[in-house]
Amino acid sequence: MMTVPTLTGQRPPAATGRPGLTAQLLRRKPIGQMVSEADEGHGGTKLVRSFGVLQLTMISVGATLGTGILVILGESVPLAGPAIWISFAIAGLAALLSAVSYAEMAGLVPVAGSSYSYSYATMGEGMAWICGWCLVLEYAVSVAAVAVGAGQYVNETLAVFGQVLPDAISQPPGEGGLMNIPAMVIVVLAMLLLVKGAKESAWINTSIVVVKVGILLFFCAVAFTAFNAGNFEPLLPMGAAGVSAAASSVFFSYIGFDAASTAGEEARNPKKDLPRAIMLSMVIVTTIYVLVAVAAIGARPWGWFDGTDAALVRILEETTGQPWIALVFAVGAVLAIASIVLTVLYGQTRILLSMSRDGLVPKIFGRVSRRTGTPVAGTLLVGTAVALTAGLVPLGALADATSIGTLFAFALVNVAVIYLRRTRPELERTFRVPLFPLTPILGALMCGYLMLNLGADTWVVFGIWMLVGVAAYFGYGRRNSRVASLTHEEYRELSGRESSTLSTPEPTKAEIS
């Protein structure tokens, strides 16, 4: 009886039969192996399971709530006009359709890789790499995009005391400055907190999320005192195309539930708690986004938002005439941005950890510290790269680049749900997508529709990013893939062992030839 290595082990030198390119791209990673690796850890050290449903929900809400409202409202309102709340609702619906698919997959594949792992288990290594590469764009650029907005609110805080940061240190090149120092500082602080420990980071995030929800509800209460229904006329000054364009742009505001799904290896009961956290967070976030958007437009005509930084603080200042109210909100907004940076950066490091475990990116991203139970080296590398991006790249380019990566990854998760329902209906599902297959089909189609509404420049950036990803795969991932390192016989036996425990079908001929 031959000894079959795990995917994290080394194949004996004498073994032969590495798959060809097509077979490698189609070779799936068994779900049972993913779960086994999560339980055993990598290199003898595993992530610590310390999150309950509350922490998971707060990770999701923390990564989502505030981005589209606090940071890019001034850029999205001119696209949609008073109908910006409809844009948020459309983006929220698209996200919700994908969120239910995420909830089902999170219960089936409770590991750290999120949609990357879901794609690997269903569509093979090639599509998994594409998805993982999109997630790198989605997470890293999202952190930078949100952190860029920190400078606006730091200035609003200082303005109460008659001070302001010079553009040279609060704006990126191209927008009148040399480097956005506040954005870089927030990323570095989040990086250091994540290095310390996931449990500590989660509790701090939970506290900040409570503050964030409080200040947004406070804004609504104040803004509704200056509500003018006439501000909603005409509702669609830029037409339906403007509403769709704004919805595509703000879609990156909804990536929070993806961040929660990356916590699969640190949740105490991931099969039940992850689906619950994902669905609960989507309800909370969409409700508050639409409510704040309606309150903001009701308080000020849509043309007022064009070029207005920190729009919500300005509305509070003009409505109340009390500088201290603006100060409280601005400080709360900085904290809100910090929680988004913290949770999304967390998700980025866990995606890279999973890809490293599979051999598709360098091992350093998968090393888990025995002392802290976190991927320290990977966190420091990612945090440094994101901090530099946040300090040097303008917000608009970052937001759209994040949206297209997010939409592509979400579409793949919808497809993964359909695939597993058809090929492996016997697997135990702690959450099932309602109205199957209509819901995941609509989710995938809506993601595709929103992608098409993004600008040509965004597609060019996405195309260049994909070409870089192809080069990275052939330069490193293809040669170091642990799934591909298994011989045909080893892979068949590994898949067969999963079949006996999960009742999975045998791999296809394309995967083993």
Side-chain angles (χ1 to χ4, degrees):
M1 187 75 171
M2 70 178 289
T3 300
V4 180
T6 64
L7 299 187
T8 55
Q10 296 296 320
R11 181 168 60 88
T16 59
R18 189 183 183 94
L21 176 59
T22 301
Q24 179 173 343
L25 293 176
L26 294 175
R27 183 174 274 195
R28 302 190 299 267
K29 184 176 181 181
I31 295 177
Q33 186 64 33
M34 292 183 181
V35 176
S36 175
E37 289 176 1
D39 291 338
E40 295 172 4
H42 180 50
T45 306
K46 61 182 180 179
L47 299 173
V48 179
R49 293 193 179 275
S50 59
F51 296 162
V53 67
L54 173 63
Q55 289 83 10
L56 293 170
T57 302
M58 292 299 101
I59 288 174
S60 184
V61 175
T64 306
L65 187 59
T67 310
I69 292 294
L70 294 173
V71 179
I72 65 168
L73 191 65
E75 297 188 13
S76 56
V77 170
L79 293 175
I84 184 61
W85 66 272
I86 299 178
S87 297
F88 276 109
I90 291 173
L93 176 60
L96 181 61
L97 290 171
S98 297
V100 293
S101 291
Y102 263 88
E104 179 166 322
M105 292 301 298
L108 278 173
V109 191
V111 297
S114 183
S115 49
Y116 158 76
S117 294
Y118 308 157
S119 298
Y120 215 155
T122 56
M123 289 172 274
E125 182 170 295
M127 195 57 70
W129 170 262
I130 292 174
C131 184
W133 195 246
C134 284
L135 289 173
V136 171
L137 176 69
E138 168 193 335
Y139 277 91
V141 178
S142 176
V143 174
V146 174
V148 165
Q152 302 171 5
Y153 286 98
V154 170
N155 271 334
E156 292 299 327
T157 302
L158 294 175
V160 176
F161 304 100
Q163 303 295 322
V164 66
L165 290 175
D167 287 346
I169 62 171
S170 63
Q171 298 293 335
E175 294 191 356
L178 298 176
M179 186 174 290
N180 191 330
I181 298 299
M184 298 181 70
V185 169
I186 283 183
V187 174
V188 170
L189 290 176
M191 175 186 72
L192 295 177
L193 183 56
L194 288 173
V195 166
K196 180 176 177 58
K199 184 177 181 180
E200 294 83 355
S201 302
W203 278 113
I204 290 176
N205 173 67
T206 298
S207 302
I208 295 176
V209 168
V210 172
V211 173
K212 183 175 2 183
V213 171
I215 66 167
L216 288 174
L217 293 178
F218 172 72
F219 167 80
C220 291
V222 173
F224 275 121
T225 64
F227 191 85
N228 179 3
N231 290 344
F232 290 88
E233 299 177 1
L235 182 62
L236 302 173
M238 311 304 290
V243 174
S244 297
S248 299
S249 181
V250 303
F251 188 83
F252 90 102
S253 307
Y254 287 90
I255 71 169
F257 61 85
D258 189 290
S261 70
T262 66
E265 292 180 33
E266 289 158 285
R268 290 193 293 266
N269 187 5
K271 285 183 174 291
K272 292 185 178 180
D273 288 348
L274 278 175
R276 293 170 181 169
I278 289 171
M279 298 310 300
L280 181 58
S281 65
M282 281 303 303
V283 172
I284 294 172
V285 167
T286 303
T287 300
I288 293 180
Y289 270 166
V290 172
L291 184 64
V292 173
V294 170
I297 293 296
R300 289 293 178 271
W302 70 277
W304 177 89
F305 290 85
D306 192 8
T308 302
D309 293 336
L312 302 190
V313 174
R314 300 292 174 83
I315 291 174
L316 288 176
E317 286 178 339
E318 295 178 7
T319 301
T320 65
Q322 299 294 324
W324 69 268
I325 292 181
L327 172 64
V328 171
F329 189 90
V331 172
V334 173
L335 290 175
I337 291 171
S339 78
I340 299 169
V341 171
L342 176 66
T343 49
V344 178
L345 188 63
Y346 164 85
Q348 172 72 96
T349 61
R350 270 50 180 182
I351 293 292
L352 288 171
L353 181 145
S354 292
M355 296 179 74
S356 174
R357 178 185 291 156
D358 295 331
L360 299 183
V361 298
K363 295 179 181 179
I364 191 170
F365 292 104
R367 294 175 185 168
V368 178
S369 167
R370 293 182 182 275
R371 184 176 63 86
T372 65
T374 60
V376 173
T379 301
L380 292 174
L381 286 173
V382 172
T384 301
V386 171
L388 290 173
T389 304
L392 299 173
V393 181
L395 171 63
L398 290 173
D400 285 348
T402 302
S403 290
I404 197 167
T406 305
L407 287 163
F408 188 83
F410 284 9
L412 289 181
V413 174
N414 284 295
V415 173
V417 167
I418 297 172
Y419 177 89
L420 281 184
R421 283 284 193 100
R422 296 301 187 192
T423 61
R424 303 170 72 173
E426 75 289 344
L427 291 179
E428 179 185 357
R429 290 166 169 82
T430 53
F431 178 88
R432 299 179 71 89
V433 171
L435 301 177
F436 179 88
L438 180 62
T439 300
I441 289 175
L442 288 177
L445 290 176
M446 185 164 281
C447 287
Y449 171 73
L450 291 177
M451 288 179 72
L452 292 175
N453 279 279
L454 291 170
D457 291 345
T458 302
W459 277 96
V460 170
V461 171
F462 183 67
I464 294 173
W465 181 255
M466 287 294 101
L467 289 175
V468 174
V470 170
Y473 177 75
F474 283 101
Y476 186 91
R478 171 161 161 71
R479 293 184 291 108
N480 293 278
S481 167
R482 292 195 173 97
V483 172
S485 71
L486 298 172
T487 65
H488 303 325
E489 293 77 14
E490 291 168 348
Y491 183 68
R492 268 196 294 261
E493 185 162 339
L494 186 62
S495 298
R497 285 192 294 172
E498 182 181 53
S499 296
S500 64
T501 57
L502 295 177
S503 301
T504 58
E506 292 292 329
T508 65
K509 291 182 179 180
E511 292 174 305
I512 61 177
S513 62

